[in-house]
Amino acid sequence: MPEGAEIVDRNGDVVEMRVSIPGDEHGFFGRQCPGCAQMFRVNMEDYEALPEEIELWCVYCGHHCDHSDFMTQQQKDRALRAVADLGVQMVGHVVEDVFGGRSRTRSRSRGSGFGVEIRFRSTPFYPQPLPGLDEEKLVRERKCADCALRYAVFGEHRFCPVCGPLASAVVSTDALGAETARLDGLAQLPAEVRADLREKGVFTRIWVDTLENLVGIVETLAGAVFRAAVADAPARLNGKGNIFQRLDDTADLFVAAGYADLRTVLDAPTWQRLTESWAARHVFTHNDGVVDARYLTKVPGSTARLGQRLTITEASCRQAILDAGALCHAVAALT
């Protein structure tokens, strides 16, 4: 057998074989979801410590099934090479048994004089090395707060490979990090590319999208925390629409359920900046950024006039991300 493959058991015609899956220089190896086909990586030491019969979760789509179904294509190819080599040898042994393990010639003639001759000579088998693995490399190690499994992902994810759905606070932290990383990526573009994108309004659209995303991140977290903590949450939320998109209404909802007031948990300047960011997001989402009476009511100190179009900056977006992070931390700490 080639290095990395071994026969561990024989039972009649059934052969049990073990083929090693090498890890990378960090001790991680690949897993591939049989549902969405996306890749992630898991620490080998942590993985080997898991129970033999365990289901894995796809970190991206949440598909979960037996861990053996998460082999990558390169891992399957490596195992199939070992199986093919074993098959060649098993066939060779059968032929040797037929011919007695030595060279032999058989001929047979019929009335026409036609003859058939068979020659066989046994030769040693030398298996080729198993193919290595060249899969996507580790970028950043993550560690599940619940099961301590170390793993790595290559995109937005919502699940731990072992525990399943991640805590809402973890999801919000990752999402806020993605918003910051997106702005950092823009800052690293070549000057001529930045100038072209800025002239076409791409930067402005990204900043607007950032505000929209921040509201969504807080809405998702606050909703998850409230529903998990408040026994009669469905009744309290009935008929209130997208209440977690509205800052004061969200604060009032938690207060009515017996929790601290977010407006006092956070300092006044942070809450005021959040109010302004949420109001700006509403104007851009529903009125193409044109200031209306509702905006001026929410932001009475604004220098913008009715009918003017708001302008936003990278600096204001970065501050909004920090403020949203403080709000998420406060929401998660309420319960």
Side-chain angles (χ1 to χ4, degrees), residues 182-303:
R182 182 166 63 161
L183 297 183
D184 291 344
L186 289 176
Q188 295 170 10
L189 293 173
E192 62 274 14
V193 176
R194 285 176 54 84
D196 182 56
L197 294 178
R198 184 171 57 249
E199 186 274 331
K200 293 177 178 176
V202 173
F203 278 30
T204 301
R205 293 315 313 170
I206 288 177
W207 296 334
V208 170
D209 288 345
T210 298
L211 294 182
E212 181 73 35
N213 293 342
L214 294 180
V215 174
I217 291 168
V218 172
E219 177 187 15
T220 300
L221 173 64
V225 170
F226 189 83
R227 291 182 178 90
V230 180
D232 61 342
R236 291 176 181 269
L237 296 175
N238 186 37
K240 290 185 169 57
N242 298 324
I243 190 171
F244 295 108
Q245 290 183 1
R246 306 188 293 273
L247 286 176
D248 284 311
D249 288 349
T250 297
D252 290 339
L253 193 65
F254 276 102
V255 169
Y259 294 96
D261 192 335
L262 290 167
R263 289 163 292 207
T264 57
V265 172
L266 297 173
D267 59 73
T270 299
W271 188 263
Q272 181 57 38
R273 288 193 302 269
L274 284 166
T275 299
E276 294 174 5
S277 296
W278 260 236
R281 169 262 171 192
H282 188 273
V283 165
F284 275 104
T285 300
H286 300 286
N287 204 31
D288 193 32
V290 177
V291 174
D292 54 15
R294 176 175 176 173
Y295 176 83
L296 293 177
T297 300
K298 288 287 186 180
V299 192
S302 173
T303 58

Side-chain angles (χ1 to χ4, degrees), residues 156 158 169-180 213-214 217 321:
E156 190 174 53
R158 293 289 183 270
V170 174
V171 173
S172 65
T173 299
D174 278 355
L176 291 171
E179 294 301 322
T180 299
N213 293 342
L214 294 180
I217 291 168
I321 293 173

